[in-house]
């Protein structure tokens, strides 16, 4: 294997998403994975609108939607004594609850289905996947990274040279520790076994395509358990006490269902640890962390997988720009500055959900969960890839119901009028910078800046290409009727102002050139 611009270690949600968005921007990475394939287990489920917007730009959103499980598109999400009841708390909301923040609908695909779809699309775009390959060590210098790699089929060892390495090897992979990055957090909450089983639960399960029940029941060994549906009708996953034998496992599953004599057929099992650990930093030289290598969190809340995929979405364009010489290495400092506060917030939110849904003894220590709309749509990025405004408040979240439109926030979702009908600014995203301008000279100034810097950019003239029929864009963007907004490829506002002639210097700033 020769030299690579980027090597990604780990072909889970984080690693494959990073590879996908790198390839979308013109850099075909090599992905090393010790397992023989992508995941064959359901694992994490559900894709929120934020990442579905990104997948739409990469041409994989429809493949993921096609993998939605059978049944009515919906999520049953509750705390109960058992699947049969009684219900203690209901979290279920309509699937279109976030439609005011995004034009993209969520999906309900399993991790196995998403990994397969993303891997296939990444390969189409030029990614190289090497399964049964383990990265055993690495060293780095000013020019690149050297990895020691073992082929697990032939037991041969080779040295691989890369310009950059993305550690997507999970919380037990070891690359984070190899480069000397520590972690902090609440630590472990205990081990469990995930048991795949077959049983007829139709009389209790309802019609939703996804059913997730957090069981609080003193008859269980730890007082709590979890039941979740899979893509296969009649097959379920239960989180049971670690190391339980076959008879104990059947008894725990029947308790969680609420049926003492139900026929249960165990198909397989695996162990996992619920924990809360966040890396102290997401970058060490030429090594960058994503996914569980950066933030390990309990599954309560369902945002671990989404956060991992978003890591790849937000890192992909930056790393590609640096690898292609369109940006300076300093652009990668923004990966830590932006993604670490968000990863920490999501990890804390999942722990707060754990306290509500399974561990009430933790509630005094961790507090109440953040409003989910704010968590998912209200993140404010700070760091070198944003031209911050001097008067902007120093906060990491804002209420998305009242968007400020300022640099560091998501470009607002409003409906504009275009040649093909209504369109949201978030539907104009892609592997390019985006400029929306009401200045008569704004579009030409944007294109001139892009040409000078050698980057891909799309400019839309408001009042000509697009129209703001009810003034929503002028209000939510915060620019008024004559302003200009620069949006990064990941949908984050990089700058706004009234002088489009500033775009060249702003882009130089954002790209660390």
């Amino acid at each position: 294997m020769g030299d690579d611009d980027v090597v990604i270690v780990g072909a889970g949600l984080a690693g494959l998403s990073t590879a996908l968005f790198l390839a979308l921007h013109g850099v075909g990475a090599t992905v090393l994975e010790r397992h023989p394939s992508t995941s064959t287990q359901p694992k994490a489920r559900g894709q929120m609108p934020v990442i579905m917007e990104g997948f739409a730009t990469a041409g994989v959103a429809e493949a993921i939607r096609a993998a939605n499980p059978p049944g009515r598109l919906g999520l049953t999400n509750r705390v109960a004594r058992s699947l049969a009841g009684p219900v203690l708390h209901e979290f279920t909301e309509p699937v279109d609850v976030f439609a005011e923040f995004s034009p993209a609908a969520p999906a309900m695909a399993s991790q196995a289905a998403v990994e397969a779809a993303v891997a296939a699309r990444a390969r189409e775009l030029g990614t190289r996947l090497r399964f049964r390959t383990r990265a055993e060590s690495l060293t780095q210098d000013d020019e690149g990274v050297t990895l020691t790699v073992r082929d697990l089929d032939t037991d041969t060892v080779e040295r691989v040279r890369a310009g950059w390495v993305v550690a997507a090897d999970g919380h037990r992979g070891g690359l984070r520790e190899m480069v000397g990055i520590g972690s902090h957090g609440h630590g472990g909450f205990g081990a469990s076994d995930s048991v795949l089983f077959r049983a007829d639960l139709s009389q209790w399960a309802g019609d939703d395509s996804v059913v997730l029940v957090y069981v609080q029941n003193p008859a269980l060994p730890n007082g709590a358990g979890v039941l979740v549906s899979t893509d296969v009708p009649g097959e379920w996953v239960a989180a049971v006490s670690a190391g339980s034998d076959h008879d104990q496992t059947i008894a725990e599953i029947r308790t969680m269902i609420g049926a003492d004599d139900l026929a249960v057929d165990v198909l397989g099992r695996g162990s996992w640890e619920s924990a809360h650990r966040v890396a102290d930093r997401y970058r060490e030289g030429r090594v960058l962390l994503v996914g569980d290598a950066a933030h390990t969190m309990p599954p309560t809340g369902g945002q671990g997988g989404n956060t991992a995929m978003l890591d790849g979405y937000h890192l992909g364009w930056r790393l590609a720009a640096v690898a292609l010489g369109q940006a300076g290495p300093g652009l990668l400092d923004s990966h830590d500055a932006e993604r670490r506060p968000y990863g920490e917030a999501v990890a804390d939110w999942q722990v707060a959900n754990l306290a509500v849904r399974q561990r009430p003894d933790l509630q005094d220590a961790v507090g109440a969960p953040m409003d989910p709309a704010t968590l998912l749509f209200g993140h404010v990025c700070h760091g070198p890839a944003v031209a911050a405004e001097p008067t902007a408040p120093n906060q990491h979240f804002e209420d998305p119901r009242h968007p400020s439109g300022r640099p560091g926030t998501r470009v607002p979702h409003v409906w504009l009028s275009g040649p093909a009908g209504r369109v949201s600014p978030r539907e104009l995203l892609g592997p390019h910078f985006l400029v929306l301008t009401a200045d008569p000279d704004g579009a030409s100034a944007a294109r001139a800046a892009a040409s000078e810097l050698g980057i891909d950019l799309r400019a839309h003239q408001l009042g000509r290409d697009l129209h703001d029929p009810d003034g929503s864009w002028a209000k939510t963007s915060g620019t008024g009727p004559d302003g200009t907004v620069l949006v990064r490829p990941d949908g984050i506002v990089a700058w706004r102002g009234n002088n489009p002639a500033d775009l060249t210097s702003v882009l130089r700033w954002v790209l660390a050139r």
Side-chain angles (χ1 to χ4, degrees):
M1 180 175 170
D3 289 0
D4 285 88
D5 288 327
V6 180
V7 168
I8 300 170
V9 181
L13 293 175
L16 290 170
S17 295
T18 305
L20 174 68
F21 292 108
L22 268 169
L24 184 67
H25 287 268
V27 175
T30 294
V31 181
L32 310 179
E33 171 56 56
R34 62 188 179 88
H35 290 106
S37 68
T38 55
S39 177
T40 58
Q41 297 294 325
K43 293 187 178 179
R45 180 180 294 282
Q47 298 74 45
M48 298 305 293
V50 181
I51 190 58
M52 291 304 291
E53 292 171 348
F55 284 148
T57 69
V60 75
E62 291 310 308
I64 291 172
R65 293 193 198 286
N68 283 337
R72 182 184 64 188
L73 185 61
L75 168 65
T76 296
N77 186 0
R78 61 173 63 122
V79 178
R81 287 283 182 254
S82 70
L83 178 64
V87 175
L88 306 177
H89 193 89
E90 189 83 39
F91 299 99
T92 302
E93 295 179 314
V95 295
D96 61 350
V97 66
F98 295 134
E100 65 177 294
F101 310 121
S102 172
M108 294 289 186
S110 68
Q111 179 169 339
V114 172
E115 287 186 12
V118 173
R121 180 60 176 148
R123 274 178 161 148
E124 289 177 356
L125 294 173
T127 299
R128 298 168 295 280
L129 269 66
R130 293 183 58 182
F131 292 104
R132 295 283 294 161
T133 306
R134 184 174 63 213
E136 297 190 332
S137 66
L138 65 78
T139 58
Q140 59 176 316
D141 52 49
D142 291 342
E143 302 299 322
V145 185
T146 301
L147 298 102
T148 302
V149 173
R150 184 179 300 274
D151 185 310
L152 298 177
D153 288 326
T154 64
D155 201 35
T156 56
V157 176
E158 62 179 308
R159 291 181 180 273
V160 173
R161 184 74 174 167
W164 304 89
V165 168
V166 177
D169 55 336
H171 70 284
R172 292 182 291 189
L175 290 187
R176 176 178 62 78
E177 292 85 351
M178 285 183 198
V179 298
I181 299 178
S183 65
H184 59 277
H186 295 286
F189 298 112
S192 298
D193 285 356
S194 290
V195 177
L196 178 65
F197 69 95
R198 183 182 295 113
D200 181 7
L201 310 186
S202 56
Q203 63 177 301
W204 307 289
D207 298 325
D208 282 347
S209 57
V210 178
V211 178
L212 174 60
V213 179
Y214 297 95
V215 179
Q216 290 185 6
N217 193 317
L220 294 169
N222 298 315
V226 181
L227 280 174
V228 61
S229 59
T230 73
D231 290 343
V232 180
E235 291 187 6
W236 294 72
V237 171
V240 303
S241 56
S244 56
D245 62 27
H246 179 78
D247 290 343
Q248 291 172 318
T249 297
I250 297 296
E252 288 186 46
I253 291 173
R254 286 172 172 166
T255 298
M256 282 189 264
I257 296 167
D260 292 339
D261 57 356
L262 185 72
V264 174
D265 182 15
V266 173
L267 305 176
R269 68 192 302 152
S271 62
W272 59 281
E273 179 195 23
S274 176
H276 173 271
R277 299 185 185 91
V278 179
D280 294 337
R281 57 189 184 280
Y282 282 16
R283 179 185 179 189
E284 178 59 36
R286 290 176 170 268
V287 178
L288 302 113
L289 309 185
V290 294
D292 283 358
H295 41 70
T296 304
M297 60 190 78
T300 38
Q303 296 310 309
N306 279 277
T307 307
M309 293 182 288
L310 285 169
D311 286 346
Y313 177 49
H314 288 281
L315 176 59
W317 75 271
R318 304 172 215 253
L319 190 48
V322 172
L324 294 172
Q326 297 171 347
L331 174 60
L332 295 177
D333 291 337
S334 62
H335 175 62
D336 176 78
E338 295 181 11
R339 295 308 298 167
R340 183 160 50 87
Y342 185 73
E344 186 129 25
V346 177
D348 289 348
W349 186 75
Q350 303 262 119
V351 174
N353 284 325
L354 176 69
V356 171
R357 302 178 189 187
Q358 292 184 281
R359 291 284 304 275
D361 56 297
L362 296 173
Q363 285 184 321
D364 290 342
V366 301
M370 183 190 299
D371 164 54
T374 299
L375 180 80
L376 296 173
F377 301 96
H379 181 226
V380 182
C381 297
H382 299 274
V386 170
E389 296 172 344
T391 59
N394 185 24
Q395 61 189 44
H396 286 292
F397 289 90
E398 67 175 22
D399 186 349
R401 300 168 188 85
H402 307 285
S404 67
R406 72 176 187 268
T409 64
R410 282 168 47 88
V411 63
H413 164 52
V414 298
W415 290 116
L416 301 173
S417 176
R422 71 175 192 170
V423 63
S424 167
R426 301 208 61 82
E427 293 177 309
L428 301 174
L429 301 175
H432 50 254
F433 282 86
L434 173 68
V435 167
L436 298 170
T437 179
D439 189 291
D441 300 320
S444 58
R447 295 185 184 107
S451 177
E452 179 178 339
L453 297 175
I455 63 171
D456 200 357
L457 181 148
R458 303 287 186 272
H460 297 272
Q461 188 80 44
L462 290 161
R464 187 187 65 195
D465 307 325
L466 299 173
H467 299 275
D468 184 16
D470 60 0
S472 296
W473 170 254
K475 178 182 178 181
T476 58
S477 67
T479 62
D482 301 316
T484 299
V485 174
L486 172 67
V487 185
R488 301 183 331 200
D490 57 0
I492 299 299
V493 175
W495 170 85
R496 65 181 178 182
N498 293 312
N499 186 3
D502 291 338
L503 281 168
T504 300
S505 59
V506 169
L507 281 163
R508 287 188 182 278
W509 169 272
V510 171
L511 294 170
R513 290 173 60 170

mmCIF file of all heavy atoms in Angstrom, residues 326-356:
data_model
loop_
_atom_site.group_PDB
_atom_site.id
_atom_site.type_symbol
_atom_site.label_atom_id
_atom_site.label_comp_id
_atom_site.label_asym_id
_atom_site.label_seq_id
_atom_site.Cartn_x
_atom_site.Cartn_y
_atom_site.Cartn_z
ATOM 1 N N GLN A 326 -6.339 23.577 -0.643
ATOM 2 C CA GLN A 326 -7.235 24.725 -0.728
ATOM 3 C C GLN A 326 -7.299 25.496 0.585
ATOM 4 O O GLN A 326 -7.793 26.626 0.619
ATOM 5 C CB GLN A 326 -8.641 24.268 -1.109
ATOM 6 C CG GLN A 326 -8.733 23.609 -2.473
ATOM 7 C CD GLN A 326 -10.083 22.976 -2.727
ATOM 8 O OE1 GLN A 326 -10.883 22.807 -1.810
ATOM 9 N NE2 GLN A 326 -10.345 22.616 -3.977
ATOM 10 N N ALA A 327 -6.831 24.881 1.645
ATOM 11 C CA ALA A 327 -6.852 25.499 2.971
ATOM 12 C C ALA A 327 -5.547 25.176 3.690
ATOM 13 O O ALA A 327 -4.864 24.198 3.361
ATOM 14 C CB ALA A 327 -8.038 24.990 3.785
ATOM 15 N N GLY A 328 -5.231 25.987 4.685
ATOM 16 C CA GLY A 328 -4.071 25.721 5.500
ATOM 17 C C GLY A 328 -4.398 24.740 6.615
ATOM 18 O O GLY A 328 -5.568 24.566 6.981
ATOM 19 N N PRO A 329 -3.378 24.083 7.184
ATOM 20 C CA PRO A 329 -3.629 23.113 8.270
ATOM 21 C C PRO A 329 -4.367 23.706 9.457
ATOM 22 O O PRO A 329 -5.025 22.985 10.208
ATOM 23 C CB PRO A 329 -2.222 22.651 8.652
ATOM 24 C CG PRO A 329 -1.384 22.915 7.445
ATOM 25 C CD PRO A 329 -1.960 24.153 6.813
ATOM 26 N N GLY A 330 -4.281 25.025 9.617
ATOM 27 C CA GLY A 330 -4.965 25.660 10.734
ATOM 28 C C GLY A 330 -6.471 25.496 10.693
ATOM 29 O O GLY A 330 -7.141 25.605 11.720
ATOM 30 N N LEU A 331 -7.019 25.215 9.497
ATOM 31 C CA LEU A 331 -8.464 24.973 9.404
ATOM 32 C C LEU A 331 -8.872 23.801 10.287
ATOM 33 O O LEU A 331 -9.987 23.781 10.835
ATOM 34 C CB LEU A 331 -8.855 24.708 7.949
ATOM 35 C CG LEU A 331 -10.315 24.305 7.690
ATOM 36 C CD1 LEU A 331 -11.277 25.385 8.166
ATOM 37 C CD2 LEU A 331 -10.538 24.001 6.222
ATOM 38 N N LEU A 332 -7.975 22.828 10.450
ATOM 39 C CA LEU A 332 -8.323 21.641 11.233
ATOM 40 C C LEU A 332 -8.394 21.930 12.726
ATOM 41 O O LEU A 332 -8.949 21.120 13.479
ATOM 42 C CB LEU A 332 -7.327 20.518 10.950
ATOM 43 C CG LEU A 332 -7.368 20.000 9.508
ATOM 44 C CD1 LEU A 332 -6.298 18.946 9.286
ATOM 45 C CD2 LEU A 332 -8.741 19.444 9.161
ATOM 46 N N ASP A 333 -7.863 23.072 13.163
ATOM 47 C CA ASP A 333 -8.043 23.439 14.571
ATOM 48 C C ASP A 333 -9.514 23.645 14.901
ATOM 49 O O ASP A 333 -9.945 23.477 16.052
ATOM 50 C CB ASP A 333 -7.270 24.724 14.885
ATOM 51 C CG ASP A 333 -5.763 24.525 14.843
ATOM 52 O OD1 ASP A 333 -5.304 23.369 15.014
ATOM 53 O OD2 ASP A 333 -5.046 25.516 14.643
ATOM 54 N N SER A 334 -10.303 24.004 13.891
ATOM 55 C CA SER A 334 -11.725 24.243 14.135
ATOM 56 C C SER A 334 -12.483 22.954 14.416
ATOM 57 O O SER A 334 -13.592 22.992 14.958
ATOM 58 C CB SER A 334 -12.353 24.972 12.941
ATOM 59 O OG SER A 334 -12.269 24.196 11.759
ATOM 60 N N HIS A 335 -11.905 21.797 14.053
ATOM 61 C CA HIS A 335 -12.576 20.523 14.361
ATOM 62 C C HIS A 335 -12.720 20.366 15.873
ATOM 63 O O HIS A 335 -13.806 20.043 16.372
ATOM 64 C CB HIS A 335 -11.776 19.366 13.765
ATOM 65 C CG HIS A 335 -12.298 18.014 14.125
ATOM 66 N ND1 HIS A 335 -13.556 17.574 13.775
ATOM 67 C CD2 HIS A 335 -11.730 16.988 14.840
ATOM 68 C CE1 HIS A 335 -13.749 16.342 14.224
ATOM 69 N NE2 HIS A 335 -12.666 15.975 14.877
ATOM 70 N N ASP A 336 -11.669 20.609 16.603
ATOM 71 C CA ASP A 336 -11.738 20.518 18.062
ATOM 72 C C ASP A 336 -12.586 21.655 18.635
ATOM 73 O O ASP A 336 -13.432 21.437 19.505
ATOM 74 C CB ASP A 336 -10.335 20.563 18.658
ATOM 75 C CG ASP A 336 -10.358 20.559 20.177
ATOM 76 O OD1 ASP A 336 -10.560 19.469 20.762
ATOM 77 O OD2 ASP A 336 -10.192 21.633 20.797
ATOM 78 N N ALA A 337 -12.369 22.858 18.133
ATOM 79 C CA ALA A 337 -13.065 24.022 18.685
ATOM 80 C C ALA A 337 -14.575 23.903 18.545
ATOM 81 O O ALA A 337 -15.318 24.360 19.429
ATOM 82 C CB ALA A 337 -12.571 25.293 17.996
ATOM 83 N N GLU A 338 -15.046 23.281 17.459
ATOM 84 C CA GLU A 338 -16.482 23.200 17.217
ATOM 85 C C GLU A 338 -17.104 21.890 17.672
ATOM 86 O O GLU A 338 -18.173 21.872 18.275
ATOM 87 C CB GLU A 338 -16.757 23.393 15.723
ATOM 88 C CG GLU A 338 -16.404 24.769 15.211
ATOM 89 C CD GLU A 338 -16.710 24.956 13.740
ATOM 90 O OE1 GLU A 338 -17.391 24.081 13.153
ATOM 91 O OE2 GLU A 338 -16.295 25.974 13.175
ATOM 92 N N ARG A 339 -16.456 20.780 17.363
ATOM 93 C CA ARG A 339 -17.081 19.488 17.607
ATOM 94 C C ARG A 339 -16.968 19.033 19.058
ATOM 95 O O ARG A 339 -17.844 18.302 19.539
ATOM 96 C CB ARG A 339 -16.487 18.421 16.684
ATOM 97 C CG ARG A 339 -16.749 18.642 15.217
ATOM 98 C CD ARG A 339 -18.208 18.853 14.904
ATOM 99 N NE ARG A 339 -19.026 17.688 15.248
ATOM 100 C CZ ARG A 339 -20.350 17.703 15.312
ATOM 101 N NH1 ARG A 339 -21.014 18.822 15.108
ATOM 102 N NH2 ARG A 339 -21.004 16.596 15.597
ATOM 103 N N ARG A 340 -15.917 19.427 19.760
ATOM 104 C CA ARG A 340 -15.776 18.935 21.136
ATOM 105 C C ARG A 340 -16.861 19.513 22.063
ATOM 106 O O ARG A 340 -17.476 18.751 22.825
ATOM 107 C CB ARG A 340 -14.379 19.211 21.676
ATOM 108 C CG ARG A 340 -14.147 18.651 23.087
ATOM 109 C CD ARG A 340 -12.664 18.501 23.394
ATOM 110 N NE ARG A 340 -11.911 19.702 23.104
ATOM 111 C CZ ARG A 340 -11.737 20.721 23.955
ATOM 112 N NH1 ARG A 340 -12.286 20.674 25.162
ATOM 113 N NH2 ARG A 340 -11.017 21.771 23.625
ATOM 114 N N PRO A 341 -17.139 20.826 22.037
ATOM 115 C CA PRO A 341 -18.240 21.308 22.886
ATOM 116 C C PRO A 341 -19.567 20.637 22.552
ATOM 117 O O PRO A 341 -20.368 20.361 23.450
ATOM 118 C CB PRO A 341 -18.273 22.816 22.598
ATOM 119 C CG PRO A 341 -16.895 23.142 22.128
ATOM 120 C CD PRO A 341 -16.441 21.937 21.357
ATOM 121 N N TYR A 342 -19.791 20.378 21.264
ATOM 122 C CA TYR A 342 -21.046 19.730 20.898
ATOM 123 C C TYR A 342 -21.069 18.276 21.366
ATOM 124 O O TYR A 342 -22.073 17.813 21.930
ATOM 125 C CB TYR A 342 -21.270 19.796 19.382
ATOM 126 C CG TYR A 342 -22.615 19.234 18.988
ATOM 127 C CD1 TYR A 342 -23.776 19.940 19.261
ATOM 128 C CD2 TYR A 342 -22.723 17.991 18.389
ATOM 129 C CE1 TYR A 342 -25.023 19.424 18.933
ATOM 130 C CE2 TYR A 342 -23.967 17.471 18.050
ATOM 131 C CZ TYR A 342 -25.114 18.197 18.327
ATOM 132 O OH TYR A 342 -26.342 17.670 18.012
ATOM 133 N N GLY A 343 -19.983 17.554 21.130
ATOM 134 C CA GLY A 343 -19.925 16.167 21.590
ATOM 135 C C GLY A 343 -20.113 16.059 23.093
ATOM 136 O O GLY A 343 -20.798 15.148 23.580
ATOM 137 N N GLU A 344 -19.532 16.988 23.830
ATOM 138 C CA GLU A 344 -19.699 16.980 25.282
ATOM 139 C C GLU A 344 -21.150 17.245 25.666
ATOM 140 O O GLU A 344 -21.698 16.589 26.565
ATOM 141 C CB GLU A 344 -18.785 18.029 25.908
ATOM 142 C CG GLU A 344 -18.758 18.011 27.422
ATOM 143 C CD GLU A 344 -17.352 17.972 27.981
ATOM 144 O OE1 GLU A 344 -16.419 18.407 27.324
ATOM 145 O OE2 GLU A 344 -17.212 17.472 29.121
ATOM 146 N N ALA A 345 -21.784 18.190 24.984
ATOM 147 C CA ALA A 345 -23.178 18.507 25.296
ATOM 148 C C ALA A 345 -24.092 17.318 25.025
ATOM 149 O O ALA A 345 -24.994 17.018 25.816
ATOM 150 C CB ALA A 345 -23.630 19.721 24.490
ATOM 151 N N VAL A 346 -23.863 16.628 23.910
ATOM 152 C CA VAL A 346 -24.700 15.468 23.593
ATOM 153 C C VAL A 346 -24.461 14.349 24.594
ATOM 154 O O VAL A 346 -25.410 13.703 25.071
ATOM 155 C CB VAL A 346 -24.443 14.971 22.156
ATOM 156 C CG1 VAL A 346 -25.263 13.713 21.873
ATOM 157 C CG2 VAL A 346 -24.790 16.047 21.143
ATOM 158 N N ALA A 347 -23.200 14.114 24.942
ATOM 159 C CA ALA A 347 -22.892 13.071 25.920
ATOM 160 C C ALA A 347 -23.550 13.373 27.263
ATOM 161 O O ALA A 347 -24.108 12.480 27.919
ATOM 162 C CB ALA A 347 -21.381 12.920 26.077
ATOM 163 N N ASP A 348 -23.506 14.635 27.692
ATOM 164 C CA ASP A 348 -24.165 15.024 28.945
ATOM 165 C C ASP A 348 -25.681 14.829 28.846
ATOM 166 O O ASP A 348 -26.334 14.413 29.811
ATOM 167 C CB ASP A 348 -23.851 16.485 29.268
ATOM 168 C CG ASP A 348 -22.410 16.704 29.682
ATOM 169 O OD1 ASP A 348 -21.700 15.707 29.950
ATOM 170 O OD2 ASP A 348 -21.976 17.872 29.713
ATOM 171 N N TRP A 349 -26.235 15.155 27.680
ATOM 172 C CA TRP A 349 -27.681 15.003 27.469
ATOM 173 C C TRP A 349 -28.092 13.536 27.567
ATOM 174 O O TRP A 349 -29.124 13.204 28.156
ATOM 175 C CB TRP A 349 -28.025 15.576 26.100
ATOM 176 C CG TRP A 349 -29.472 15.642 25.760
ATOM 177 C CD1 TRP A 349 -30.395 16.536 26.236
ATOM 178 C CD2 TRP A 349 -30.179 14.798 24.836
ATOM 179 N NE1 TRP A 349 -31.626 16.297 25.654
ATOM 180 C CE2 TRP A 349 -31.520 15.246 24.799
ATOM 181 C CE3 TRP A 349 -29.799 13.721 24.033
ATOM 182 C CZ2 TRP A 349 -32.486 14.633 23.985
ATOM 183 C CZ3 TRP A 349 -30.759 13.123 23.231
ATOM 184 C CH2 TRP A 349 -32.075 13.572 23.219
ATOM 185 N N GLN A 350 -27.278 12.661 26.994
ATOM 186 C CA GLN A 350 -27.603 11.234 27.053
ATOM 187 C C GLN A 350 -27.544 10.715 28.497
ATOM 188 O O GLN A 350 -28.358 9.864 28.884
ATOM 189 C CB GLN A 350 -26.650 10.442 26.164
ATOM 190 C CG GLN A 350 -26.627 10.874 24.702
ATOM 191 C CD GLN A 350 -27.484 10.036 23.791
ATOM 192 O OE1 GLN A 350 -28.409 10.533 23.169
ATOM 193 N NE2 GLN A 350 -27.188 8.773 23.670
ATOM 194 N N VAL A 351 -26.599 11.229 29.283
ATOM 195 C CA VAL A 351 -26.530 10.826 30.695
ATOM 196 C C VAL A 351 -27.758 11.339 31.445
ATOM 197 O O VAL A 351 -28.337 10.626 32.279
ATOM 198 C CB VAL A 351 -25.237 11.342 31.354
ATOM 199 C CG1 VAL A 351 -25.244 11.052 32.850
ATOM 200 C CG2 VAL A 351 -24.017 10.688 30.710
ATOM 201 N N ALA A 352 -28.168 12.577 31.156
ATOM 202 C CA ALA A 352 -29.377 13.108 31.795
ATOM 203 C C ALA A 352 -30.591 12.263 31.427
ATOM 204 O O ALA A 352 -31.473 12.012 32.266
ATOM 205 C CB ALA A 352 -29.580 14.564 31.401
ATOM 206 N N ASN A 353 -30.654 11.802 30.175
ATOM 207 C CA ASN A 353 -31.738 10.904 29.776
ATOM 208 C C ASN A 353 -31.643 9.562 30.495
ATOM 209 O O ASN A 353 -32.671 8.958 30.840
ATOM 210 C CB ASN A 353 -31.701 10.676 28.261
ATOM 211 C CG ASN A 353 -32.225 11.855 27.479
ATOM 212 O OD1 ASN A 353 -33.149 12.531 27.916
ATOM 213 N ND2 ASN A 353 -31.632 12.121 26.339
ATOM 214 N N LEU A 354 -30.411 9.085 30.690
ATOM 215 C CA LEU A 354 -30.225 7.836 31.427
ATOM 216 C C LEU A 354 -30.817 7.947 32.820
ATOM 217 O O LEU A 354 -31.480 7.019 33.316
ATOM 218 C CB LEU A 354 -28.733 7.503 31.504
ATOM 219 C CG LEU A 354 -28.356 6.277 32.334
ATOM 220 C CD1 LEU A 354 -28.825 4.986 31.671
ATOM 221 C CD2 LEU A 354 -26.832 6.224 32.565
ATOM 222 N N ALA A 355 -30.598 9.090 33.461
ATOM 223 C CA ALA A 355 -31.130 9.289 34.808
ATOM 224 C C ALA A 355 -32.658 9.255 34.804
ATOM 225 O O ALA A 355 -33.279 8.669 35.695
ATOM 226 C CB ALA A 355 -30.630 10.615 35.369
ATOM 227 N N VAL A 356 -33.266 9.861 33.790
ATOM 228 C CA VAL A 356 -34.725 9.904 33.712
ATOM 229 C C VAL A 356 -35.305 8.532 33.396
ATOM 230 O O VAL A 356 -36.312 8.111 33.978
ATOM 231 C CB VAL A 356 -35.170 10.931 32.651
ATOM 232 C CG1 VAL A 356 -36.674 10.828 32.399
ATOM 233 C CG2 VAL A 356 -34.807 12.339 33.091
#
